[in-house]
Amino acid sequence: SNAAFGISRFVTRVSQAYKSDKESAETQQLGRRLLSVVMPAVKHALASKEDVVRNEFLAVLRKVVHECAVHFDQLRDLTVLDNSDEEANFFYNIVHIQIHRRLRAIRRFRSLIATSVNASTLGKDPSAMDVDGVDNDGDGIAEDLSADEDEDDEDIEVDDSNPNARKSANGKTARPTIGALNPLNFGTQGSSPISAANIRTIFMPLLENWALADSTTVVHDLADESISTIGVIGAVLPWPQYNSAIRKYFDMMKKSPTLEKRLTRLVLALLDNFHFDLRGVDVDHLGRLVRQTPSEPKQDTGALETAQAAEGEDKDEDEETAAAAAAAAAATSAEQSVADNKSTRNENILDAVVNHLLPLLKKKVTDVDENSMALRAPVAMALVRIMTALPEKTMNVQLPGVLTTICNMLRARSQIARNVTRGTLIRIAKFLGAPYFGFLVKELSASLSRGPQKHVLAYTLYTLLKEMRNQVSVGDLDYTLESIVDILVQDVFGKLAEEKDAE
């Protein structure tokens, strides 16, 4: 359009001014106009719902990055996306009329972030990424939920309440082996070649438009790639921006019920990349935060005494020693200040996670509507993973309630709901390992104690043992052997066996 062309001419004028005399008052004024007028307008337009508006300003942004980014610290990091080869240029391909070119641009952007963080720290195998940065292993929780939307459900459905339905007609077990959850990866914040500010104000709004487009305009391939990319971005965001994004998506669920599934996938994609290590925060025996009083900046006592003693012995000869001791004390004080700031930051994050984030997720998990079971189960998995980043005492207080809720979800009348829940429970059991297996058996026994529920209990225990067989060693489950044997005896020789014979 004429307006976009006019802005592009202004960008060219700024570039020419910086090349000719970047120190002049006119050049500095032009630069300030670019940063304070043009760039805010571009960022605002990228959040627009209209494709035409976004494409126009993406063209302007490409012009700014290509001609002016090297002159401004705020924009210099965007040059990694500007490639002389149009096939690899993000700004050219992201507005291309062909959808597959847009998908390639998003994948390359995601690959850039993931590679900078190191693919292994994102729970991915580097060999599982192709040249376009497409993740091929699909281990994330959000990917599982995405697969649930489109799968043809080729697995043989087994009625777990039917005592004779243990195998399918061809003799094969009903469900394939279920993979374990990936552990969280810490220390990835700030590793992106693109600044967090630019990611938040330029790329997040752009990707959100595709991820949350309404049903009449949504392009599902673009939505899926955008959701996956936002998840990877979560691995490099600082806590304020990370927390703000999650709370924003939860708020949108209340206002836009039709987008609940995609919003849930966005939340899960971010939770997949929770990277804040809170295990070292001090808590009391109930797992509650114990705030530490920051140490006051002061000189190291030992270093100060050394300096004073040296000065007392020989003031003239020991001036250098005293100066060195004072410098060491200052360095120690600076290190203590950094440690205090980090400790305070982690305390604030733990407080927000325990008092705000976990309650939101628990509320989602405890929804009584069986129709939303497919959404609840992945959220439960995310809850368990996040708890492994908390102090051990806090985890021990918070985790049992979540596991109990998941076990209670097996009471659902819907076979599909029970299958989804069972798959979730298996992955969580693999993730937590043998130490929590006894607690799961105990809670399953308490939750599934009536009528047909006992058949569900027997089948679920059988499936858990089958899936865990390669993860436990001899003796790991001895502490809960009595409970396991009791359930199996009831299934084989008790009233359950009689019901089977009757069938």
Side-chain angles (χ1 to χ4, degrees), residues 79 95 104 158 255 260 266 428 493:
T79 55
V95 296
R104 183 184 301 173
V158 170
K255 301 175 183 177
E260 182 181 13
L266 274 173
I428 290 173
F493 303 108

Side-chain angles (χ1 to χ4, degrees), residues 327-343:
T332 302
S333 177
E335 292 175 358
Q336 181 63 46
S337 177
V338 171
D340 286 341
N341 289 337
K342 182 178 180 181
S343 176

Side-chain angles (χ1 to χ4, degrees), residues 77-122:
D77 56 337
L78 298 178
T79 55
V80 297
L81 300 174
D82 185 38
N83 197 305
S84 56
D85 180 9
E86 286 189 346
E87 291 291 326
N89 190 299
F90 172 84
F91 298 106
Y92 175 79
N93 286 285
I94 201 65
V95 296
H96 203 280
I97 191 173
Q98 295 178 329
I99 298 298
H100 76 89
R101 297 286 287 271
R102 298 191 198 180
L103 294 174
R104 183 184 301 173
I106 296 175
R107 289 166 183 161
R108 287 188 179 276
F109 175 76
R110 182 170 73 243
S111 178
L112 175 69
I113 303 295
T115 302
S116 66
V117 170
N118 187 336
S120 63
T121 65
L122 290 175

Side-chain angles (χ1 to χ4, degrees), residues 184 186 274 278-279 350 353-354 358-359 361-362 380-403 431-432 436:
L184 293 174
F186 305 115
F274 186 91
L278 308 175
R279 293 171 294 181
L350 177 62
V353 168
V354 173
L358 292 187
L361 296 174
K362 288 179 180 178
M381 286 192 284
L383 252 175
V384 173
R385 291 183 79 230
I386 289 178
M387 287 181 185
T388 61
L390 306 181
E392 183 177 359
K393 294 178 181 177
T394 304
M395 176 182 171
N396 291 338
V397 170
Q398 297 282 345
L399 184 57
V402 177
L403 297 180
F431 182 65
L432 296 176
Y436 278 90

Side-chain angles (χ1 to χ4, degrees), residues 302-349:
L304 186 59
E305 290 178 353
T306 300
Q308 290 175 345
E311 184 178 2
E313 292 177 2
D314 192 346
K315 293 183 179 181
D316 295 333
E317 295 181 0
D318 288 341
E319 288 182 357
E320 294 183 0
T321 304
T332 302
S333 177
E335 292 175 358
Q336 181 63 46
S337 177
V338 171
D340 286 341
N341 289 337
K342 182 178 180 181
S343 176
T344 302
R345 182 174 67 250
N346 286 344
E347 288 175 357
N348 292 336
I349 295 175

Side-chain angles (χ1 to χ4, degrees), residues 131-437:
V131 294
D132 284 331
V134 184
D135 299 337
N136 296 320
D137 57 359
D139 282 340
I141 297 172
E143 283 83 352
D144 293 341
L145 187 54
S146 175
D148 289 341
E149 292 182 8
D150 305 318
E151 67 182 0
D152 295 327
D153 199 16
E154 296 177 355
D155 296 345
I156 304 161
E157 185 173 305
V158 170
D159 183 1
D160 53 13
S161 62
N162 183 344
N164 294 316
R166 287 293 187 267
K167 291 182 179 291
S168 63
N170 61 7
K172 294 183 179 180
T173 51
R175 296 185 63 83
T177 300
I178 299 174
L181 298 175
N182 290 320
L184 293 174
N185 302 281
F186 305 115
T188 59
Q189 177 178 325
S191 56
S192 169
I194 302 175
S195 69
N198 283 335
I199 287 177
R200 178 177 60 86
T201 58
I202 295 176
F203 299 102
M204 288 283 281
L206 185 64
L207 294 168
E208 285 173 354
N209 272 311
W210 289 314
L212 301 176
D214 60 52
S215 57
T216 60
T217 60
V218 65
V219 179
H220 290 287
D221 288 339
L222 280 176
D224 292 342
E225 292 294 341
S226 298
I227 290 171
S228 297
T229 304
I230 289 174
V232 173
I233 286 173
V236 299
L237 290 179
W239 172 252
Q241 297 176 9
Y242 182 93
N243 185 43
S244 175
I246 290 179
R247 294 178 70 88
K248 171 186 174 182
Y249 299 146
F250 268 111
D251 289 340
M252 290 179 68
M253 287 181 197
K254 302 175 184 177
K255 301 175 183 177
S256 305
T258 57
L259 296 175
E260 182 181 13
K261 196 158 196 173
R262 273 183 277 160
L263 287 166
T264 301
R265 287 177 56 198
L266 274 173
V267 171
L268 293 177
L270 288 171
L271 295 178
D272 270 348
N273 293 287
F274 186 91
H275 57 91
F276 306 97
D277 189 359
L278 308 175
R279 293 171 294 181
V281 178
D282 289 335
V283 294
D284 60 19
H285 67 286
L286 295 177
R288 295 174 300 195
L289 176 64
V290 177
R291 290 194 177 273
Q292 300 295 317
T293 303
S295 302
E296 295 182 2
K298 59 182 179 181
Q299 289 184 324
D300 181 68
T301 304
L304 186 59
E305 290 178 353
T306 300
Q308 290 175 345
E311 184 178 2
E313 292 177 2
D314 192 346
K315 293 183 179 181
D316 295 333
E317 295 181 0
D318 288 341
E319 288 182 357
E320 294 183 0
T321 304
T332 302
S333 177
E335 292 175 358
Q336 181 63 46
S337 177
V338 171
D340 286 341
N341 289 337
K342 182 178 180 181
S343 176
T344 302
R345 182 174 67 250
N346 286 344
E347 288 175 357
N348 292 336
I349 295 175
L350 177 62
D351 181 65
V353 168
V354 173
N355 295 320
H356 299 286
L357 179 57
L358 292 187
L360 282 174
L361 296 174
K362 288 179 180 178
K363 184 178 180 181
K364 189 74 175 175
V365 171
T366 54
D367 187 356
V368 296
D369 184 7
E370 288 189 11
N371 295 326
S372 65
M373 192 73 73
L375 299 179
R376 293 164 59 191
V379 174
M381 286 192 284
L383 252 175
V384 173
R385 291 183 79 230
I386 289 178
M387 287 181 185
T388 61
L390 306 181
E392 183 177 359
K393 294 178 181 177
T394 304
M395 176 182 171
N396 291 338
V397 170
Q398 297 282 345
L399 184 57
V402 177
L403 297 180
T404 301
T405 299
I406 297 172
C407 292
N408 288 336
M409 288 162 64
L410 284 168
R411 296 174 177 173
R413 295 183 179 181
S414 167
Q415 180 65 47
I416 296 176
R418 293 200 301 272
N419 286 343
V420 171
T421 303
R422 189 178 297 107
T424 300
L425 192 62
I426 290 170
R427 296 189 70 180
I428 290 173
K430 286 186 172 184
F431 182 65
L432 296 176
Y436 278 90
F437 194 84

